[in-house]
Amino acid sequence: MILEQSTQLVPPAKPGSTHVEKEVLAEIEKVCDGFIVIGGLLRKWISYTAFEDCRCFTQRSIIDEKPFQCLIERKDIKEGDSFSIKKADIACEVSSEEANFGECSKSSGVLAYSFKEKDVIHICVEDQREEYKNQSH
């Protein structure tokens, strides 16, 4: 699944100062005939050098969360089957960049007002049904 998000940087950031750490949280919301509904959250911690009140630079951090949903389709899945999340992570960071540049005051120079990202989220489930656990695949 590809997840695109944009976070406002308030106060704005000094370009090149932004650092991001991410975590993927996911859970199975429903198992239906033919598919599994997954609900999740991409949580990120953004730290950067901010231009406070158009006067001075300070260190800031923001926690941002982006919800997502996805489906896993397979013909042999039946409602009531038991599955668990085996893996939930970021498979690939497609892009990650400061954006929406402007000036707060003439003395500040250029500042970044948002941070844009595009990530590929990877979710794997494990079949908990007893007949599948006892077979080797």
Side-chain angles (χ1 to χ4, degrees):
M1 177 187 114
I2 297 175
L3 186 60
E4 290 186 67
Q5 64 270 351
S6 181
T7 303
Q8 279 192 304
L9 300 176
V10 179
K14 178 180 177 182
S17 70
T18 308
H19 174 74
V20 181
E21 292 185 32
K22 303 174 192 176
E23 170 184 41
V24 177
L25 306 168
E27 63 180 22
I28 295 173
E29 292 184 350
K30 178 83 174 165
V31 177
C32 301
D33 289 343
F35 59 91
I36 302 168
V37 179
I38 308 288
L41 191 69
L42 176 62
R43 181 177 292 146
K44 26 182 203 177
W45 294 267
I46 302 171
S47 57
Y48 64 98
T49 302
F51 197 59
E52 262 331 309
D53 298 325
C54 294
R55 290 194 317 259
C56 61
F57 286 103
T58 60
Q59 285 305 117
R60 293 287 285 213
S61 60
I62 297 172
I63 297 173
D64 194 15
E65 297 178 331
K66 175 76 172 184
F68 65 85
Q69 281 191 310
C70 62
L71 293 176
I72 295 177
E73 295 183 71
R74 210 170 71 194
K75 291 179 184 180
D76 67 334
I77 296 172
K78 300 292 180 213
E79 186 169 351
D81 286 351
S82 182
F83 292 88
S84 64
I85 302 284
K86 186 175 181 180
K87 186 177 187 179
D89 64 6
I90 297 170
C92 177
E93 185 177 273
V94 177
S95 63
S96 179
E97 61 192 11
E98 295 163 332
N100 201 18
F101 295 97
E103 290 185 9
C104 185
S105 69
K106 294 293 181 196
S107 61
S108 70
V110 175
L111 300 170
Y113 286 82
S114 67
F115 193 78
K116 291 184 177 183
E117 299 169 280
K118 186 186 292 188
D119 296 303
V120 177
I121 306 295
H122 184 227
I123 307 288
C124 287
V125 296
E126 183 173 54
D127 196 332
Q128 298 295 302
R129 294 178 289 183
E130 205 55 44
E131 71 257 24
Y132 286 96
K133 283 184 169 183
N134 295 327
Q135 296 177 5
S136 58
H137 295 289

